[in-house]
């Protein structure tokens, strides 16, 4: 086990200009990772130190991040991180919200296995202790306000429970003096993550709703009766889950803060620009058909790295050399040359040249 002094010395030596020169052109990380995959100065990584499969459709991973991650990011309860994993020689990145309390030395991820989900299925089936994953970023504004409200209601559905668990654990650790209620919806009791911990959590009113059985505390979908049972007139509401759940909570509650990792459906416009998209690094040109640039690049046989496909993780960001694109989620238009754009949510407006 390294002492703090030893770690500081190793970091100073490995980060020196001389070592960088001697290990060029690949850099020191390409050599230190041969000794230990998490010994990287430039890349955030984490070792899997525990794996639990407590439900038929989820896996919980406990990660020990390296210094490159911990010194760059201060993860707040409710935020997400970008997790990268190599599958069949190709690297994939996805966004996941940790479930651990704010300030924890480890990162806990509970990943729901989705039908057709490449990364979630791979981790559910193959995650093991000692496995090393890429770990970068700490983003999102689905977080607790600095001044904690008195009456807080949390609502989640399915894998949307993870950022809520992070907030709940944080509030419990802080000994929050106010009232906390939590409503969680799952398909069945067997698929309800963290059920035992929640039932034993002091100071939190927990209600379960199961959409495919009548075993829960609540029957049916979220509405006035569920709100009354959980917490009438909360000061603030946090909801994370499928779009119908988020919309139902918005309909019946005020001061609602939401999070959803369901990729939006943009559809193909009736009249695409018809401009030419030039993927300069690959020497490929295509005629714009109106879809996001990422989808058109994949249709042309390219395999750009991407993650959330909804404009959150920034994994797909590429340099736009020339031309104009419009961001489908924000409406922002990028017209200047040499700008970075998120190709998963950007559509061309006329001719566009990209470094891809």
């Amino acid at each position: 086990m390294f002492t703090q002094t030893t770690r500081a010395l190793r970091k100073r030596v490995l980060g020196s200009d001389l070592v960088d020169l001697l290990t060029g052109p690949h850099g020191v990380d390409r050599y230190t990772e041969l000794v230990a995959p998490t010994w990287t100065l430039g890349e955030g990584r984490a070792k899997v130190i525990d794996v639990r499969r407590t439900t038929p459709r989820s896996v919980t991973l406990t990660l020990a991040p390296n210094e490159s991650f911990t010194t760059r990011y201060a993860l707040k309860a409710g935020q997400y991180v970008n997790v990268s994993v190599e599958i069949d020689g190709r690297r994939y990145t996805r966004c996941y919200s940790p479930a651990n309390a704010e300030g924890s030395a480890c990162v806990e991820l509970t990943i729901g296995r989705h039908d057709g989900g490449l990364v979630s299925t791979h981790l559910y089936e193959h995650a093991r202790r000692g496995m090393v994953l890429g770990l970068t970023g700490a983003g999102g504004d689905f977080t607790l306000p600095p001044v904690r409200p008195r009456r807080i209601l949390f609502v989640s559905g399915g894998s949307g429970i993870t950022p809520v668990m992070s907030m709940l654990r944080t509030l419990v650790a802080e000994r929050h003096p106010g009232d906390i209620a939590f409503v969680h919806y799952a398909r069945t009791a067997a698929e309800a993550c963290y059920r035992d911990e929640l039932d034993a959590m002091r100071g939190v009113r927990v209600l379960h709703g199961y959409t495919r059985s009548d075993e829960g505390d609540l029957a049916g979908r979220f509405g006035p009766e569920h709100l009354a049972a959980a917490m009438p007139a909360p000061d603030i509401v946090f909801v994370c889950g499928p779009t119908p759940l988020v919309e139902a909570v918005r309909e019946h509650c005020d001061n609602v803060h939401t999070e959803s990792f369901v990729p939006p459906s943009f559809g193909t416009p009736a009249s695409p620009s018809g401009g030419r998209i030039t993927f300069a690094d690959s020497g490929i040109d295509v005629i714009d058909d109106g879809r996001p640039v990422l989808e058109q690049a994949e249709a042309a046989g390219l395999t750009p790295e991407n993650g959330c496909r909804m404009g959150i993780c920034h994994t797909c960001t590429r340099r736009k050399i020339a031309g104009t694109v419009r961001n489908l989620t924000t409406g922002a238009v990028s017209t200047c040359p040499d700008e970075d754009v998120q190709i998963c949510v950007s559509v061309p407006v006329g001719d566009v040249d990209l470094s891809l």
Side-chain angles (χ1 to χ4, degrees):
M1 183 67 68
F2 287 104
T3 65
Q4 185 173 353
T5 302
T6 303
R7 287 196 297 267
L9 177 62
R10 175 169 61 85
K11 185 175 182 180
R12 186 164 64 250
V13 171
L14 295 180
S16 68
D17 293 338
L18 177 59
V19 170
D20 187 60
L21 176 64
L22 294 174
T23 56
H26 303 294
V28 66
D29 283 354
R30 297 290 79 80
Y31 294 90
T32 57
E33 67 183 1
L34 297 176
V35 180
T38 56
W39 283 13
T40 53
L41 297 179
E43 296 183 23
R45 296 185 182 178
K47 179 182 288 187
V48 178
I49 59 175
D50 189 39
V51 178
R52 304 190 307 278
R53 294 176 175 86
T54 56
T55 80
R57 297 181 62 85
S58 68
V59 59
T60 297
L61 310 179
T62 303
L63 310 180
N66 66 359
E67 289 182 64
S68 181
F69 179 84
T70 57
T71 57
R72 292 183 186 184
Y73 305 107
L75 188 64
K76 296 181 180 179
Q79 289 188 310
Y80 60 82
V81 294
N82 300 324
V83 178
S84 300
V85 60
E86 187 172 296
I87 303 174
D88 296 330
R90 183 178 173 186
R91 194 179 191 189
Y92 296 86
T93 303
R94 297 291 186 269
C95 295
Y96 295 110
S97 294
N100 52 275
E102 192 171 305
S104 174
C106 294
V107 173
E108 180 179 300
L109 304 176
T110 292
I111 299 169
R113 181 181 61 176
H114 301 287
D115 296 335
L118 176 65
V119 174
S120 63
T121 299
H122 177 83
L123 291 175
Y124 179 84
E125 294 178 349
H126 301 290
R128 65 190 186 284
R129 291 186 181 184
M131 186 179 190
V132 174
L133 304 173
L135 190 65
T136 58
D141 55 7
F142 187 66
T143 57
L144 294 165
V147 178
R148 311 305 198 210
R150 177 72 183 177
R151 291 169 56 80
I152 307 175
L153 172 62
F154 295 100
V155 183
S156 67
S159 58
I161 193 174
T162 53
V164 171
M165 281 300 300
S166 179
M167 294 182 187
L168 283 172
R169 286 168 163 172
T170 299
L171 290 171
V172 170
E174 293 175 351
R175 299 180 182 273
H176 178 66
D179 299 323
I180 306 171
F182 176 41
V183 178
H184 178 61
Y185 298 93
R187 300 200 300 184
T188 65
E191 295 183 17
C193 302
Y194 298 107
R195 185 175 57 166
D196 292 341
E197 179 181 347
L198 286 168
D199 289 344
M201 191 172 282
R202 293 186 176 183
V204 180
R205 177 170 175 75
V206 178
L207 298 173
H208 299 279
Y210 304 123
T211 59
R212 297 189 180 182
S213 76
D214 56 1
E215 303 175 60
D217 307 301
L218 303 170
R221 310 289 176 169
F222 184 88
E225 292 183 359
H226 291 197
L227 176 61
M231 177 182 284
D235 295 328
I236 192 170
V237 181
F238 292 91
V239 54
C240 185
T243 301
L245 174 61
V246 172
E247 292 176 347
V249 173
R250 281 191 177 278
E251 179 182 354
H252 299 289
C253 300
D254 297 321
N255 197 16
V256 176
H257 295 249
T258 68
E259 183 77 288
S260 176
F261 287 117
V262 178
S265 177
F266 298 119
T268 302
S271 55
S273 73
R276 182 174 294 276
I277 307 175
T278 300
F279 301 112
D281 297 348
S282 307
I284 295 175
D285 290 355
V286 298
I287 300 300
D288 172 37
D289 62 14
R291 292 180 296 167
V293 174
L294 173 61
E295 294 183 26
Q296 298 195 58
E298 291 174 332
L302 301 177
T303 56
E305 188 174 355
N306 64 88
C308 67
R309 304 180 76 94
M310 58 190 297
I312 293 178
C313 72
H314 295 269
T315 303
C316 70
T317 299
R318 294 294 183 273
R319 178 58 55 93
K320 175 175 64 67
I321 301 170
T324 300
V325 298
R326 179 170 57 88
N327 187 302
L328 292 171
T329 59
T330 66
V333 176
S334 167
T335 60
C336 297
D338 296 320
E339 283 190 331
D340 289 335
V341 297
Q342 294 169 271
I343 63 174
C344 72
V345 291
S346 294
V347 294
V349 181
D351 294 343
V352 176
D353 290 2
L354 290 149
S355 179
L356 179 60

